[in-house]
Amino acid sequence: MTDESKGMWLGLAGVALFSLTLPFTRMAVAELNPVFVAFGRAVVAALCSMLLLWKLKAALPTGAQWKPLALTALGVVVGFPVFSSVAMRYVPAAHGAIVLGILPLATALFGALRFGERPSAGFWIAAVAGSAIVIVFALSQGGGGLQAADLALLAAVLAAAMGYAEGGRLSQTMGGQQVIAWALLLSLPVLLPITVWLGWRYGVSASPKAWLGFAYVSVFSMFIGFFFWYKGLALGGIARVGQVQLLQPFLTLLGAALLLGEALEARNMLFALAVLAVVAFGRKMAVRRQAA
């Protein structure tokens, strides 16, 4: 199996874990302060990271690695959790899933602009087409327009795309486990006191269902999922493997239906099939480019 194929499969595993982030976040923020959920999940994951780094006997990052680690933390440890948690207070997980469907294109753009990746023209056509499909779907769900919470979701997209691109590139030299672990640990001194204050200010009394949501986004969304995701990006390339995320909105729709009872319509599956076709075409174009 080639590195690209391995990267695609690892990326898919990460996407499968990430796809349940919005449904479980919505479960948590229904009873807990959304910023507490966003920062608290990073604190829990950072404590897990301390154990991991100790077990790996990991060396400290080099001087040149601290900047991309800080950008990774800003994007995926702070930015995406905060903006997505706030949005989940006001819109269904299914709605958020579709708006976040433009994340693969944003990730590819960050990879291209930041690191000089140059996918083929066919790949870019596939990326734009796939993103257009999910945007059309979002507009059809919103009655032809975007809701106010969509601004928060779009900010979440930009934050995640930056964090994915920076972390994916850094994984080529550090490994995916260490990238997310050090990014979380770097954030801990700032996020821990804020989380404690938010818990004291807004309270932490919630049902087991809400805490289940919090536990999932802390352990799987904020920690384990990145092991697969960053390793996949490192092996297969940020732009190419990033297109696997086009499947995430539709996996999230299924998760929202199963976990929250949100409606799952037949046309959703038609959009999913269209996106699958676009992803397959984009991957084929990327492989041809490499072969040439």
Side-chain angles (χ1 to χ4, degrees):
M1 184 181 292
T2 65
D3 282 348
E4 183 191 351
S5 295
K6 291 178 182 177
M8 295 295 284
W9 282 110
L10 289 168
L12 181 59
V15 164
L17 293 174
F18 291 151
S19 68
L20 297 179
T21 297
L22 293 185
F24 277 112
T25 297
R26 187 159 174 79
M27 287 169 56
V29 300
E31 302 179 39
L32 295 167
N33 178 269
V35 182
F36 170 81
V37 171
F39 288 173
R41 78 187 215 178
V43 169
V44 172
L47 296 177
C48 295
S49 296
M50 292 177 66
L51 294 176
L52 174 65
L53 292 171
W54 174 76
K55 182 179 180 180
L56 295 175
K57 297 181 180 178
L60 284 172
T62 64
Q65 291 173 329
W66 285 111
K67 180 180 177 180
L69 278 173
L71 291 173
T72 300
L74 184 63
V76 300
V77 177
V78 179
F80 180 84
V82 169
F83 291 123
S84 61
S85 293
V86 170
M88 284 301 93
R89 262 287 176 94
Y90 303 103
V91 294
H95 179 91
I98 304 305
V99 177
L100 294 185
I102 62 173
L103 182 53
L105 180 58
T107 302
L109 286 173
F110 267 97
L113 296 175
R114 180 76 170 87
F115 304 115
E117 289 193 1
R118 293 294 181 266
S120 67
F123 167 83
W124 284 114
I125 292 172
V128 172
S131 298
I133 290 172
V134 295
I135 290 173
V136 168
F137 185 73
L139 292 174
S140 69
Q141 291 287 296
L146 299 178
Q147 303 182 39
D150 291 323
L151 295 177
L153 289 169
L154 290 173
V157 166
L158 294 176
M162 178 183 70
Y164 286 166
E166 293 287 345
R169 188 56 172 263
L170 193 56
S171 294
Q172 295 175 349
T173 56
M174 288 187 70
Q177 291 182 332
Q178 291 199 40
V179 168
I180 189 59
W182 281 113
L184 286 161
L185 203 57
L186 182 63
S187 308
L188 185 61
V190 175
L191 299 188
L192 178 58
I194 297 176
T195 301
V196 172
W197 181 83
L198 287 169
W200 173 80
R201 175 68 176 79
Y202 295 101
V204 293
S205 178
S207 68
K209 181 179 179 180
W211 284 112
L212 173 63
F214 179 84
Y216 184 91
V217 297
S218 299
V219 177
F220 292 98
S221 301
M222 194 78 265
F223 191 57
I224 295 176
F226 282 99
F227 296 174
F228 297 96
W229 181 239
Y230 279 149
K231 182 65 173 178
L233 292 177
L235 286 175
I238 294 170
R240 287 183 292 275
V241 177
Q243 297 313 293
V244 177
Q245 286 178 296
L246 285 169
L247 302 177
Q248 186 168 325
F250 305 94
L251 294 175
T252 301
L253 287 171
L254 181 60
L258 294 174
L259 295 170
L260 303 174
E262 295 183 7
L264 182 62
E265 301 176 1
R267 67 172 180 169
N268 294 355
M269 296 303 101
L270 294 177
F271 272 95
L273 290 174
V275 172
L276 278 170
V278 169
V279 171
F281 174 76
R283 185 168 184 266
K284 185 176 181 181
M285 290 297 101
V287 171
R288 284 183 178 177
R289 172 77 173 216
Q290 285 188 330

